[in-house]
Amino acid sequence: MRNTTLFTLLFLFSFGLSAQSADGNWTLERAVEYALTNNLQVKRLNNFEEIARIQRQQAQNGRLPTLSGSTNVGAQLGRTIDPTTNTFDQQTIGFQGYNLNVGVTLYNGGQIKNGLRQAELDLAAAEVDTKVTANNIGLQVANSYLTIVLLKEQLTNSRAQLQLTNDQLKNTDALIKAGALPAAQRFDLVAQQAANQRAIIDLENQLNNANLALKILLELDFDQEFNVTTPELNPTEAQLFENYDVNEVYLSARGIQPTVMAAELRKESSEVGIELAEAGLRPTVSLFGSLSTNYSTAAKEFDRSNEMEITIPVPNLLLDNMPGRISTITTVGGTLNDIGYFDQLNRNFGQSVGMSLNVPIYSQGRNKLNIQRAQVQKLNAQLDIEQAENNLRNDVELALANLRGAQESYRAAKISQDAAQAAYDNVQRSFKAGAANSLDLVTATNRLDQAKTEFTRSKYQLIFNRQVIRFYLGQGFTLE
């Protein structure tokens, strides 16, 4: 990530800016928040995070039973089996059946439990990845914002310098008119005036381009009103020159950096992945049940409503070697009638329940290879953690080195600005007294302007470098 989170949060909090700005005025906080809401890359990563969340829900649902229903309808032609009698008939039979099946896994080697654990870890890693990417976008916004702030300050200084040159030229013209100075004294100031005007035009173009670049990053309309507010930075010398211990900074950063956190989550996920691969070697036990019924157009029932009883005498009948007679006999008569649709469904209703055991015996070595693959992925995940820690250690040491360098640069720039100011004041007094010419004054002015620009740049750089260290320490980002 390389200081991405650092600078983003630095800008967000160190300036203490409010996002409640007018529509045309943009604080850094407002710009970053807008980018994190509207940037397409961030939206895409939010979608990836949502996919991970859906996968976790799917893993949770793996503990629930399955339930499915089906129906079929059709016709059998020619010599077919009557589904209601299971006998062959040479006829066309219409049929329809219904099935309802339920199943629940009792044990599958821990795949459901470990699958849920891995899905939760992957979701946590995806959330961290989203933060890292959001920080990258925030860094780009912050860098663009900083460019605009510095250009605006340089533009203000250049305009002030132009006004100073105009005043000097006006005073010189007055002295020339009074005969106190030769006319040639104004030429250097005229050249300086043109140089100041050219610098202002150049800075205005740079500022317009910087504003356009930030608009593009925020995906704003080009014609939308856009004005970056300028923060006020007034840290004390004690704050700017505070010293820090590298081990203290690193240990603090170790606990809050998202890159290390994401690597650790993925290592834990890879460990669960090994358990998932090993589950392929274990048996699966499940319960199942079903309900079914069917209907057939060939189904018939015998109607006995026409049965009757008659008496027929039979002489000379022996029953068990004893004389007797049959006094009555029942004659059977009736018809075959179709069975109604719902009656058939009720009569053919059946149920079943049972348990199944599936034992893996040979799967072409896939399970063994899956375990080996998961073990290699774990090794890579461990290397990712070490790499993230090394990068973080390097970042902390580099940040501290940059801070020390910025402190020395700030001290030198301040001394240079004080000396340039003193030199300018002296030349200006000499110029007014006629002891210095306009070239001396222009030269002193340019040196003072350069010294002020360098001092401003070094001040900003020192503030930013200090805020990076404060972020690593988790101390917040205010300058109080």
Side-chain angles (χ1 to χ4, degrees):
M1 184 171 59
R2 297 288 178 177
N3 293 334
T4 298
T5 303
L6 313 180
F7 285 105
T8 302
L9 296 179
L10 157 67
F11 281 97
L12 283 175
F13 298 100
S14 63
F15 299 150
L17 300 178
S18 171
Q20 304 301 322
S21 302
D23 288 342
N25 295 324
W26 287 75
T27 63
L28 177 63
E29 185 179 23
R30 181 186 179 190
V32 172
E33 289 179 353
Y34 188 90
L36 297 184
T37 303
N38 296 277
N39 185 271
L40 297 181
Q41 186 178 358
V42 174
K43 287 182 177 181
R44 181 182 296 274
L45 287 169
N46 288 335
N47 290 337
F48 289 153
E49 183 180 334
E50 185 61 26
I51 290 174
R53 188 172 288 106
I54 292 172
Q55 291 173 338
R56 181 190 62 177
Q57 184 62 52
Q58 182 176 356
Q60 291 174 337
N61 293 345
R63 293 174 171 174
L64 303 177
T66 60
L67 179 65
S68 63
S70 65
T71 183
N72 57 76
V73 61
Q76 294 176 326
L77 308 177
R79 184 173 174 80
T80 58
I81 297 177
D82 184 345
T84 59
T85 64
N86 202 34
T87 60
F88 284 97
D89 285 309
Q90 186 73 27
Q91 59 178 320
T92 299
I93 300 175
F95 64 88
Q96 185 174 18
Y98 295 92
N99 287 278
L100 186 65
N101 300 291
V102 62
V104 60
T105 301
L106 301 180
Y107 176 76
N108 63 349
Q111 291 187 38
I112 295 177
K113 178 186 70 175
N114 291 321
L116 178 57
R117 284 178 55 200
Q118 189 174 58
E120 290 175 341
L121 291 169
D122 291 341
L123 173 59
E127 291 173 343
V128 175
D129 287 340
T130 301
K131 293 178 182 178
V132 172
T133 303
N135 288 335
N136 288 333
I137 299 299
L139 175 61
Q140 296 177 42
V141 173
N143 286 337
S144 296
Y145 195 97
L146 171 62
T147 300
I148 293 173
V149 170
L150 291 178
L151 288 172
K152 290 178 70 173
E153 185 161 347
Q154 291 177 359
L155 183 58
T156 299
N157 292 337
S158 293
R159 286 170 176 167
Q161 184 61 39
L162 175 60
Q163 184 60 46
L164 178 60
T165 302
N166 290 338
D167 293 340
Q168 292 172 345
L169 182 58
K170 182 178 179 180
N171 293 334
T172 299
D173 287 340
L175 293 174
I176 292 173
K177 187 176 181 179
L181 290 176
Q185 287 286 6
R186 72 184 311 270
F187 296 150
D188 291 327
L189 292 174
V190 171
Q192 179 64 29
Q193 183 184 53
N196 294 149
Q197 292 172 342
R198 185 175 63 253
I200 291 174
I201 293 173
D202 182 58
L203 287 171
E204 287 176 342
N205 289 333
Q206 293 183 46
L207 182 58
N208 289 335
N209 291 337
N211 281 320
L212 179 59
L214 184 53
K215 276 187 175 182
I216 293 174
L217 187 58
L218 297 178
E219 298 186 13
L220 295 174
D221 293 334
F222 292 156
D223 58 351
Q224 181 172 339
E225 184 179 358
F226 187 79
N227 177 52
V228 168
T229 59
T230 303
E232 294 183 3
L233 304 175
N234 296 302
T236 64
E237 292 288 317
Q239 290 174 328
L240 292 177
F241 289 93
E242 184 177 358
N243 292 320
Y244 300 94
D245 179 73
V246 61
N247 290 324
E248 178 186 358
V249 176
Y250 171 74
L251 291 176
S252 175
R254 177 64 178 77
I256 63 176
Q257 281 301 291
T259 49
V260 178
M261 186 183 303
E264 290 176 337
L265 288 170
R266 287 195 166 86
K267 177 179 179 293
E268 191 173 351
S269 176
S270 68
E271 293 172 347
V272 178
I274 295 177
E275 297 182 29
L276 277 171
E278 292 174 345
L281 300 174
R282 304 187 184 109
T284 299
V285 181
S286 59
L287 288 177
F288 64 87
S290 67
L291 303 174
S292 64
T293 186
N294 58 70
Y295 163 80
S296 171
T297 59
K300 307 290 183 179
E301 65 177 348
F302 191 77
D303 185 359
R304 297 176 179 271
S305 61
N306 294 328
E307 289 182 351
M308 61 181 178
E309 185 178 283
I310 59 176
T311 300
I312 303 176
V314 182
N316 304 322
L317 177 65
L318 295 178
L319 297 175
D320 294 332
N321 296 320
M322 298 293 292
R325 59 181 295 164
I326 296 175
S327 59
T328 62
I329 188 170
T330 301
T331 63
V332 179
T335 58
L336 288 175
N337 298 328
D338 293 333
I339 303 176
Y341 181 82
F342 291 103
D343 287 340
Q344 284 194 50
L345 295 183
N346 183 55
R347 293 180 185 183
N348 297 328
F349 181 66
Q351 311 89 38
S352 67
V353 64
M355 177 182 291
S356 68
L357 172 65
N358 182 17
V359 179
I361 298 176
Y362 178 69
S363 59
Q364 300 173 330
R366 286 193 298 269
N367 291 325
K368 182 178 179 181
L369 294 175
N370 288 338
I371 294 173
Q372 293 176 351
R373 184 184 299 109
Q375 291 172 340
V376 174
Q377 290 172 345
K378 178 184 175 181
L379 294 176
N380 284 336
Q382 180 60 45
L383 293 176
D384 290 340
I385 293 178
E386 295 177 7
Q387 185 65 59
E389 290 175 338
N390 290 340
N391 291 341
L392 178 59
R393 180 81 184 193
N394 294 338
D395 288 343
V396 169
E397 292 181 351
L398 180 61
L400 286 171
N402 288 338
L403 176 63
R404 289 189 291 268
Q407 289 171 340
E408 295 301 322
S409 177
Y410 176 83
R411 288 191 181 98
K414 190 175 187 305
I415 294 173
S416 177
Q417 178 182 255
D418 293 342
Q421 184 67 54
Y424 171 80
D425 294 340
N426 182 60
V427 171
Q428 189 179 46
R429 288 193 296 268
S430 299
F431 181 78
K432 291 180 179 179
N437 56 37
S438 58
L439 179 59
D440 296 331
L441 181 60
V442 168
T443 301
T445 301
N446 289 336
R447 288 176 179 172
L448 177 59
D449 183 53
Q450 293 174 359
K452 287 181 177 180
T453 299
E454 180 59 26
F455 177 74
T456 301
R457 187 203 62 78
S458 63
K459 177 183 176 181
Y460 272 73
Q461 187 64 52
L462 177 54
I463 290 172
F464 299 152
N465 290 339
R466 176 179 177 270
Q467 289 304 115
V468 170
I469 304 303
R470 286 174 58 82
F471 167 76
Y472 280 134
L473 291 173
Q475 295 179 354
F477 296 92
T478 61
L479 298 178
E480 299 176 356

